[in-house]
Amino acid sequence: MIYNFVEAHKIGAIIEEVDAAFDFMSRGLKNLKEQKSSVSNNHVTLQLLSSGFERLVKILLLIKDKHIDGTYPELEVAKKRFSKYNGGHGIKNMLAELMVYSESVKLMQDIPMVKEDLDYIKFDGDFTKFIEIVTEFAIS
């Protein structure tokens, strides 16, 4: 498949966002691991983790849109789309939309490892609580 310049630019931007998301999350986990006190700088860990997860679910929603429509939404359309999720910070609701969408993608349901990951996201109580915490932090 041949991509035009705009499409290639958008793909490059997605790669940068995914890299940034994973960088935030790994820095957050590193900060949590190195923390010596249970009361100091908790906001730093939560800020890093919430920023990482927020970026990642937004990118996944854009990829979902590309899968459905065949094109990535324009920047203004994407911004408007994300505003319905608590000003773009509603990680839990964005993830819920992705989970509903995953049920309609046969490939995601047919690959055992992917299905197990989706089930973990849906049914693991600790992960659900974690997503609620980072969502509340991101919104507040």
Side-chain angles (χ1 to χ4, degrees), residues 31-32 35 37-47 137:
N31 190 59
L32 183 63
Q35 206 167 302
S37 167
S38 62
V39 293
S40 69
N41 294 326
N42 289 336
H43 69 284
V44 173
T45 299
L46 288 171
Q47 181 65 47
F137 188 82

Side-chain angles (χ1 to χ4, degrees), residues 18 23 29-30 32 34 36 46-47 54 56 58-59 87 90 97 99-100 103 108 113 120-123 129:
V18 170
D23 185 50
L29 291 171
K30 183 179 179 190
L32 183 63
E34 293 174 352
K36 304 260 189 277
L46 288 171
Q47 181 65 47
E54 182 180 315
L56 188 59
K58 284 179 176 177
I59 288 300
E97 181 178 321
M99 296 307 295
V100 168
E103 293 170 5
M108 295 178 87
M113 187 170 70
Y120 175 82
I121 292 169
K122 280 188 214 173
F123 302 117
K129 186 66 179 165

Side-chain angles (χ1 to χ4, degrees), residues 1-14 66 70-72:
M1 181 179 279
I2 298 175
Y3 294 103
N4 63 30
F5 177 75
V6 173
E7 190 84 358
H9 179 71
K10 289 181 180 184
I11 291 168
I14 285 173
K66 165 82 163 129
T71 60
Y72 294 107

Side-chain angles (χ1 to χ4, degrees), residues 44-63:
V44 173
T45 299
L46 288 171
Q47 181 65 47
L48 290 165
L49 292 171
S50 65
S51 293
F53 274 91
E54 182 180 315
R55 283 176 177 238
L56 188 59
V57 294
K58 284 179 176 177
I59 288 300
L60 291 171
L61 283 171
L62 291 176
I63 292 171

